Amino acid sequence: MTYPTYHNLIGGQWIPAVSGKTILNLNPADHSDVIGAFPSSHAEDVAMAVAAAKKAFATWRLVPAPRRAEILLRAGNNLVQNKEKYARDMTREMGKVLAETRGDVQEAIDEAFYVAGEGRRLFGVTTPSELQNKFAMSVRMPVGVVGLITPWNFPMAIPSWKLFPALVAGNACIIKPATDTPLSTYNLVQALVDAGLPPGVVNIVCGTGSTAGAALVEHPDVRAISFTGSSAVGSLIAQRAAATFKQVSLEMGGKNAQIVLNDANLDLALDGALWGAFGTTGQRCTATSRILLHKGIAAEFTEKFVARAKKLKIGNGLDESVEIGPQVNAAQIETSARYVDLAIKEGAQLLCGGHALTEGPYAHGTFFEPTVFAGVTPSMRIAREEVFGPVVALIEFSTFDEAVEIANSVDYGLSTSLYTRDVNRAFTAMRDLEAGITYINAPTIGAEVHLPFGGVKHTGNGHREGLGALDFFTTWKAVYVDYSDKLQRAQIDNAE
Ligand code: UN1
């Protein structure tokens, strides 16, 4: 079959990788469907993109922030115009169902409109000086050239979380999209280009993490790296970026728990658990991968949950009746299968699923059945490690305190959820659950763009996207203006 060949975007020009090599982008629901060939870039491509970004930064940083914001607003409107097309492109390259890819494009639209408003804020702080006739203020400055390394599970939303705040603050960007889903980044950047973004302000360099990604992390002229992906890769990035003292924002794994108390609305908790565990085929960093059940409701919940999991329709996400798309690639299927084996060996009880689907309509894709384990104890690996697939562990508890303790017993701390009608327990959980996000009577997935997004412990290194992204993409400058016309020595001349 014929398919298009895409190039890197460097300084406003579409340029093939110096290596001349490409990586094929395949539809995970049907590997015979090739979306395109994307460049396989290395350090020399990254160096060109950094030089272009550096040049563009010199003028972009001087464009008034409200003007920069207008470009974002127009880009948001361009995304609205192309929402359906971009959603279809995304389902084709990533696999998740159309309702979800429409949501992913919508999340980028929300981000554009939210961040566009920041162009007229970007607030700093003024404060009295300790000296007479002296004015003191703090202003936000752009960081400079920033590198953005993005994952395949939210191929447009997550790039928008990074690009838009970086741009409104006056930074120049190089984005390296995931090799599985680069087209959605091209679509997002096209919306910016069509909105009038000057050349070189955003550059796209495609390639693998170990080649293009590593070169970006190591380049001395890149001042910050924003990464979303696994904790293992995040740790490597932080270590390598330390050599050139880059700012690093890391959003990484999760082992998110939904807790169901015995006073919960059980049908609501079931709806939430099903969506949280199997939405996006379990491939969200916020996905529900543990369901903590009070002993009093565990049997009823488990029976109903498994019955509904078995009924979920699996298939090509472009078919509107399908509820669960494929996993993104063969490596993800292998991970799911490996954890199924491990859980069985550890003594967990497989209640449904557990296999890749390889026959009939599934023969040319990477599909995995919704999988539920019961009898899981908190020390099992299936209860502690991120699977990033449609595999969920049911764990029973006797008291609320025990539930919170189990929820907090893992290395990760991204999202948590509690189903209860008890307001006292709800507020206690909001305080005590170790996570960047806590939901009450809602699933672990579904964050909105204008709240802080990120986690604690091995999930993150303290930064936040959404509300908080501007703190990462700006650096504070303190400015003092002395209008006394004499030398005034701080800490000395006013010390009476
Ligand atoms: C992710 O899982 O990587 O909160 C991002 C959510 C989405 C974003 C998820 N809005 O589930």
Side-chain angles (χ1 to χ4, degrees):
M1 91 178 262
T2 57
Y3 48 80
T5 297
Y6 293 83
H7 298 321
N8 288 327
L9 178 62
I10 297 179
Q13 306 290 318
W14 297 103
I15 302 173
V18 173
S19 71
K21 295 203 173 103
T22 55
I23 300 170
L24 290 186
N25 179 2
L26 305 181
N27 180 342
D30 175 5
H31 288 164
S32 65
D33 177 23
V34 183
I35 288 126
F38 288 78
S40 174
S41 310
H42 293 75
E44 51 270 41
D45 305 289
V46 168
M48 283 193 289
V50 173
K54 221 175 148 181
K55 186 158 168 262
F57 176 65
T59 47
W60 179 244
R61 74 186 182 92
L62 301 177
V63 175
R67 297 278 94 81
R68 295 193 294 248
E70 284 164 15
I71 296 177
L72 297 184
L73 192 64
R74 286 199 292 275
N77 285 324
N78 292 342
L79 294 173
V80 170
Q81 294 299 317
N82 291 303
K83 181 170 170 181
E84 190 59 24
K85 176 184 172 341
Y86 290 170
R88 285 178 181 276
D89 280 352
M90 194 189 298
T91 293
R92 225 181 123 205
E93 70 173 347
M94 188 275 169
K96 63 185 173 184
V97 298
L98 267 177
E100 292 194 38
T101 52
R102 288 179 189 130
D104 194 311
V105 178
Q106 185 58 45
E107 202 161 333
I109 295 167
D110 296 344
E111 179 75 16
F113 294 167
Y114 166 53
V115 175
E118 285 302 325
R120 287 191 182 267
R121 285 188 287 267
L122 282 177
F123 293 136
V125 177
T126 60
T127 181
S129 164
E130 66 188 40
L131 294 159
Q132 268 193 1
N133 297 325
K134 195 170 179 184
F135 188 86
M137 62 184 161
S138 43
V139 293
R140 290 180 183 272
M141 306 296 284
V143 176
V145 174
V146 300
L148 315 175
I149 302 175
T150 53
W152 45 259
N153 65 336
F154 276 79
M156 187 175 281
I158 292 180
S160 81
W161 294 357
K162 300 184 192 300
L163 275 175
F164 294 167
L167 291 174
V168 84
N171 300 284
C173 307
I174 296 126
I175 183 162
K176 191 208 84 64
T179 48
D180 284 304
T181 58
L183 180 57
S184 296
T185 290
Y186 279 70
N187 288 339
L188 181 68
V189 173
Q190 192 62 51
L192 283 163
V193 170
D194 292 344
L197 191 77
V201 174
V202 172
N203 304 275
I204 308 175
V205 177
C206 292
T208 65
S210 57
T211 54
L216 203 49
V217 170
E218 282 164 8
H219 199 294
D221 290 339
V222 174
R223 293 310 325 138
I225 294 285
S226 178
F227 166 78
T228 300
S230 70
S231 297
V233 172
S235 171
L236 280 178
I237 288 177
Q239 292 173 55
R240 290 210 198 168
T244 42
F245 304 105
K246 288 179 178 58
Q247 293 177 206
V248 181
S249 170
L250 304 171
E251 294 293 350
M252 302 170 289
K255 191 72 193 173
N256 312 296
Q258 173 179 321
I259 303 171
V260 187
L261 301 186
N262 56 353
D263 70 343
N265 175 340
L266 221 55
D267 288 330
L268 185 69
L270 277 161
D271 286 344
L274 223 63
W275 172 228
F278 301 125
T280 327
T281 322
Q283 300 172 121
R284 293 196 192 205
C285 39
T286 50
T288 306
S289 56
R290 297 181 291 158
I291 303 176
L292 277 44
L293 298 170
H294 187 274
K295 280 194 166 30
I297 48 91
E300 185 187 348
F301 183 98
T302 304
E303 192 192 323
K304 289 184 172 165
F305 183 67
V306 170
R308 287 181 61 179
K310 280 183 181 161
K311 281 204 201 107
L312 290 168
K313 184 168 174 193
I314 308 167
N316 188 326
L318 289 172
D319 172 346
E320 300 263 8
S321 69
V322 162
E323 293 166 288
I324 308 281
Q327 288 208 256
V328 76
N329 59 34
Q332 294 303 127
I333 293 285
E334 280 160 28
T335 304
S336 295
R338 195 170 69 245
Y339 274 100
V340 167
D341 287 348
L342 206 63
I344 291 169
K345 281 200 193 98
E346 286 180 308
Q349 193 189 343
L350 179 63
L351 298 185
C352 70
H355 303 99
L357 294 164
T358 52
E359 306 290 321
Y362 306 116
H364 302 291
T366 40
F367 294 91
F368 204 89
E369 296 171 318
T371 300
V372 182
F373 280 103
V376 176
T377 61
S379 61
M380 291 180 184
R381 287 182 62 188
I382 193 71
R384 313 190 68 76
E385 297 175 19
E386 186 173 49
V387 180
F388 225 70
V391 180
V392 65
L394 308 187
I395 303 172
E396 294 188 22
F397 65 86
S398 304
T399 65
F400 171 70
D401 288 348
E402 189 191 347
V404 172
E405 196 184 311
I406 296 170
N408 289 346
S409 69
V410 296
D411 286 337
Y412 297 110
L414 182 54
S415 186
T416 45
S417 138
L418 175 73
Y419 280 78
T420 184
R421 290 177 168 120
D422 180 336
V423 69
N424 295 354
R425 285 192 168 136
F427 271 85
T428 306
M430 286 182 237
R431 184 192 62 198
D432 291 345
L433 287 171
E434 294 171 359
I437 307 171
T438 293
Y439 292 92
I440 305 296
N441 293 326
T444 62
I445 66 177
E448 301 173 28
V449 297
H450 53 301
L451 278 84
F453 185 93
V456 299
K457 301 196 277 190
H458 290 197
T459 294
N461 64 340
H463 297 284
R464 289 291 181 270
E465 311 210 77
L467 180 72
L470 287 177
D471 293 329
F472 182 73
F473 287 113
T474 58
T475 178
W476 284 115
K477 176 180 261 186
V479 180
Y480 301 90
V481 182
D482 191 322
Y483 54 101
S484 70
D485 221 19
K486 63 181 185 207
L487 172 66
Q488 300 197 83
R489 296 171 302 174
Q491 295 89 39
I492 296 173
D493 289 336
N494 61 349
E496 286 301 302

Short mmCIF file of all heavy atoms in Angstrom, two decimals, residues 107 153-154 158 161 284-286 439 445-447 453, ligand 1:
data_model
loop_
_atom_site.label_atom_id
_atom_site.label_comp_id
_atom_site.label_asym_id
_atom_site.label_seq_id
_atom_site.Cartn_x
_atom_site.Cartn_y
_atom_site.Cartn_z
N GLU A 107 -9.63 18.07 24.76
CA GLU A 107 -8.76 18.47 25.87
C GLU A 107 -7.71 19.48 25.38
O GLU A 107 -7.36 20.43 26.09
CB GLU A 107 -8.09 17.22 26.48
CG GLU A 107 -7.62 17.44 27.88
CD GLU A 107 -7.38 16.15 28.66
OE1 GLU A 107 -8.02 15.10 28.38
OE2 GLU A 107 -6.55 16.18 29.58
N ASN A 153 -0.32 7.81 24.69
CA ASN A 153 -1.69 7.51 25.14
C ASN A 153 -2.64 8.70 25.04
O ASN A 153 -3.84 8.52 24.88
CB ASN A 153 -1.68 6.94 26.56
CG ASN A 153 -1.21 7.92 27.60
OD1 ASN A 153 -0.47 8.86 27.30
ND2 ASN A 153 -1.61 7.71 28.83
N PHE A 154 -2.10 9.92 25.13
CA PHE A 154 -2.90 11.13 24.89
C PHE A 154 -2.14 11.96 23.86
O PHE A 154 -1.50 12.96 24.18
CB PHE A 154 -3.16 11.90 26.19
CG PHE A 154 -4.34 11.36 26.93
CD1 PHE A 154 -4.24 10.20 27.69
CD2 PHE A 154 -5.60 11.96 26.81
CE1 PHE A 154 -5.34 9.66 28.34
CE2 PHE A 154 -6.71 11.43 27.45
CZ PHE A 154 -6.59 10.28 28.21
N ILE A 158 -1.72 15.73 25.70
CA ILE A 158 -0.50 15.93 26.49
C ILE A 158 0.48 16.87 25.77
O ILE A 158 1.01 17.79 26.40
CB ILE A 158 0.12 14.59 26.94
CG1 ILE A 158 -0.83 13.94 27.96
CG2 ILE A 158 1.51 14.80 27.55
CD1 ILE A 158 -0.39 12.61 28.53
N TRP A 161 -0.73 20.27 26.62
CA TRP A 161 -0.45 20.68 28.01
C TRP A 161 0.93 21.29 28.14
O TRP A 161 1.21 22.05 29.06
CB TRP A 161 -0.46 19.49 28.96
CG TRP A 161 -1.74 18.78 29.17
CD1 TRP A 161 -2.97 19.07 28.64
CD2 TRP A 161 -1.92 17.62 29.98
NE1 TRP A 161 -3.89 18.17 29.09
CE2 TRP A 161 -3.29 17.26 29.89
CE3 TRP A 161 -1.07 16.84 30.77
CZ2 TRP A 161 -3.81 16.16 30.58
CZ3 TRP A 161 -1.58 15.75 31.44
CH2 TRP A 161 -2.94 15.41 31.35
N ARG A 284 -3.99 4.61 30.57
CA ARG A 284 -3.85 5.99 31.08
C ARG A 284 -2.95 5.93 32.29
O ARG A 284 -3.02 4.96 33.06
CB ARG A 284 -5.19 6.55 31.55
CG ARG A 284 -6.20 6.76 30.47
CD ARG A 284 -7.30 7.68 30.98
NE ARG A 284 -8.43 7.69 30.06
CZ ARG A 284 -9.31 8.67 29.93
NH1 ARG A 284 -9.18 9.75 30.68
NH2 ARG A 284 -10.30 8.60 29.08
N CYS A 285 -2.17 6.97 32.51
CA CYS A 285 -1.41 6.95 33.77
C CYS A 285 -2.35 7.13 34.95
O CYS A 285 -2.01 6.78 36.07
CB CYS A 285 -0.25 7.93 33.78
SG CYS A 285 -0.55 9.48 33.03
N THR A 286 -3.57 7.60 34.68
CA THR A 286 -4.57 7.72 35.74
C THR A 286 -5.50 6.49 35.83
O THR A 286 -6.44 6.49 36.64
CB THR A 286 -5.44 8.97 35.48
OG1 THR A 286 -5.89 8.92 34.13
CG2 THR A 286 -4.69 10.26 35.72
N TYR A 439 -10.44 11.82 43.74
CA TYR A 439 -11.83 11.97 43.32
C TYR A 439 -12.73 11.38 44.40
O TYR A 439 -12.42 10.32 44.97
CB TYR A 439 -12.09 11.19 42.03
CG TYR A 439 -11.41 11.73 40.80
CD1 TYR A 439 -10.15 11.28 40.42
CD2 TYR A 439 -12.03 12.68 39.99
CE1 TYR A 439 -9.52 11.76 39.27
CE2 TYR A 439 -11.43 13.16 38.85
CZ TYR A 439 -10.17 12.70 38.49
OH TYR A 439 -9.57 13.18 37.36
N ILE A 445 -9.99 8.51 36.56
CA ILE A 445 -9.65 9.20 35.32
C ILE A 445 -10.60 10.38 35.10
O ILE A 445 -11.71 10.37 35.62
CB ILE A 445 -9.65 8.25 34.09
CG1 ILE A 445 -11.06 7.72 33.79
CG2 ILE A 445 -8.69 7.10 34.32
CD1 ILE A 445 -11.12 6.84 32.53
N GLY A 446 -10.14 11.36 34.32
CA GLY A 446 -11.05 12.45 33.98
C GLY A 446 -10.63 13.82 34.48
O GLY A 446 -11.48 14.68 34.73
N ALA A 447 -9.32 14.03 34.59
CA ALA A 447 -8.84 15.33 35.04
C ALA A 447 -9.17 16.42 34.03
O ALA A 447 -9.20 16.17 32.83
CB ALA A 447 -7.33 15.27 35.25
N PHE A 453 -2.26 18.98 37.49
CA PHE A 453 -2.18 17.56 37.12
C PHE A 453 -0.76 17.07 37.39
O PHE A 453 0.21 17.61 36.86
CB PHE A 453 -2.52 17.35 35.64
CG PHE A 453 -2.56 15.90 35.25
CD1 PHE A 453 -3.76 15.19 35.28
CD2 PHE A 453 -1.40 15.22 34.88
CE1 PHE A 453 -3.80 13.84 34.95
CE2 PHE A 453 -1.44 13.87 34.55
CZ PHE A 453 -2.64 13.18 34.58
C1 UN1 B 1 -2.71 10.27 31.21
O1 UN1 B 1 -3.27 9.31 31.70
O2 UN1 B 1 -1.58 10.18 30.78
O3 UN1 B 1 -7.33 12.57 33.67
C2 UN1 B 1 -3.41 11.58 31.09
C3 UN1 B 1 -7.37 11.89 32.65
C4 UN1 B 1 -7.08 12.56 31.32
C5 UN1 B 1 -5.61 12.72 31.14
C6 UN1 B 1 -4.85 11.46 31.39
N1 UN1 B 1 -7.71 13.85 31.26
O4 UN1 B 1 -7.62 10.71 32.68
#
